Amino acid sequence: LGLVSQCLRANALDKNIEVNVKVKYHKRGLKGPKIKQKVGKMGKVLVTDFFDKKRRQLVEEHIKPLGVEKKILEVFHKVPRHEFIPDEYIGSAYDDNAVPIGQGQTISQPSLVALMTQALGLSGDEKVLEIGTGSGYQAAILSRLAKEVFTVERIKSLVERAKQTLERLQYDNVR
C-alpha cells in the first residue's frame, strides 16, 4: 500500500484528483480491496482509505463496547493492523479474530489485545517487556502508551518481519 501511495503522490503533483486503486499484492499476486483516495497538491492524501474505515468500525463495534479506556481506543484508531498482517490474510485485518502470521503463530484478536493492554494500567512512563513479539502489533500498541517497549521473539523469521514493519512505521521506542 505504501508503494501505491507513493506512485499516486508522484503522479498527482499540482492536481486535485480522485483515484480508485485495485491493490495487487506483489508477493503472491493477490488482489486486495479497492481503495479510494483523493490526492491533492503535492500528492497529499486528503481522504481516508478503506483500511481507516475498517479500523474505525472495528474499534466502535468490538472494542469500545468492552469499556476500554479512551486513550487506548485512540491508539487502536491509529495503529494500522493491516500492516502487521501477511498479504494472504489482508482481508481479515480488521475482523475481531486472530489471524495467522506464519510459523504456526497468530496475531491476537484485537479485542483481546485491547483488554490485555488496559489491564496493564499504563501511565506513559513505563518500560514494558513483551514476551512473544509475533507480528509486532501488540508492541506497536504498547509503544503509544509506554515510554519504551522491549520485545522478545524466539522465531527468527517473525523477528525480522516485525522489526522491518516497526521500523518502517516508525515505532521508534520499540526495542
Side-chain angles (χ1 to χ4, degrees), residues 12-13 26 34 36 61 71 76 79 81 83 91 109 120 122 134 137 142 151 154 164:
L13 298 178
H26 59 81
K34 191 172 187 180
K36 191 173 190 177
E61 293 178 9
K71 69 179 182 180
F76 273 83
V79 176
R81 187 173 189 245
E83 296 284 355
Q109 179 178 349
L120 292 172
L122 299 173
Y137 178 67
L142 293 171
T151 185
R154 65 183 176 83
Q164 289 173 356

Side-chain angles (χ1 to χ4, degrees), residues 84 136 139-140 161-171 174:
F84 296 89
R161 188 168 58 210
K163 183 179 179 184
Q164 289 173 356
T165 303
L166 291 163
E167 286 176 357
R168 179 172 44 81
L169 297 175
Q170 299 178 335
Y171 291 98
V174 178

Side-chain angles (χ1 to χ4, degrees), residues 81-118:
R81 187 173 189 245
H82 65 277
E83 296 284 355
F84 296 89
I85 302 277
D87 292 345
E88 61 264 34
Y89 299 108
I90 198 81
S92 300
Y94 293 102
D95 294 345
D96 191 32
N97 298 311
V99 177
I101 58 170
Q103 304 297 317
Q105 304 299 304
T106 61
I107 183 173
S108 296
Q109 179 178 349
S111 58
L112 178 61
V113 172
L115 291 172
M116 290 188 303
T117 302
Q118 181 161 290

Side-chain angles (χ1 to χ4, degrees), residues 1 4-21 34-50 52:
L1 187 59
V4 171
S5 295
Q6 288 171 7
C7 292
L8 292 175
R9 288 185 189 110
N11 292 325
L13 298 178
D14 298 322
K15 296 176 187 162
N16 191 19
I17 58 174
E18 194 165 289
V19 183
N20 287 312
V21 181
K34 191 172 187 180
I35 299 169
K36 191 173 190 177
Q37 294 183 322
K38 191 171 182 181
V39 182
K41 287 192 177 196
M42 300 308 289
K44 183 176 179 185
V45 175
L46 302 173
V47 177
T48 58
D49 68 14
F50 172 85
D52 288 337

Side-chain angles (χ1 to χ4, degrees), residues 14 25 27 31-32 46 48 54-55 62-63 65 67 71 73-74 95 108-109 113 119 123 133 139 148 162 173:
D14 298 322
Y25 294 93
K27 288 182 185 172
K31 292 182 179 176
L46 302 173
T48 58
K54 298 300 274 182
R55 188 167 45 254
H62 296 283
I63 298 173
K71 69 179 182 180
L73 293 175
E74 289 171 1
D95 294 345
S108 296
Q109 179 178 349
V113 172
S123 65
T133 308
E148 282 184 285
N173 62 336

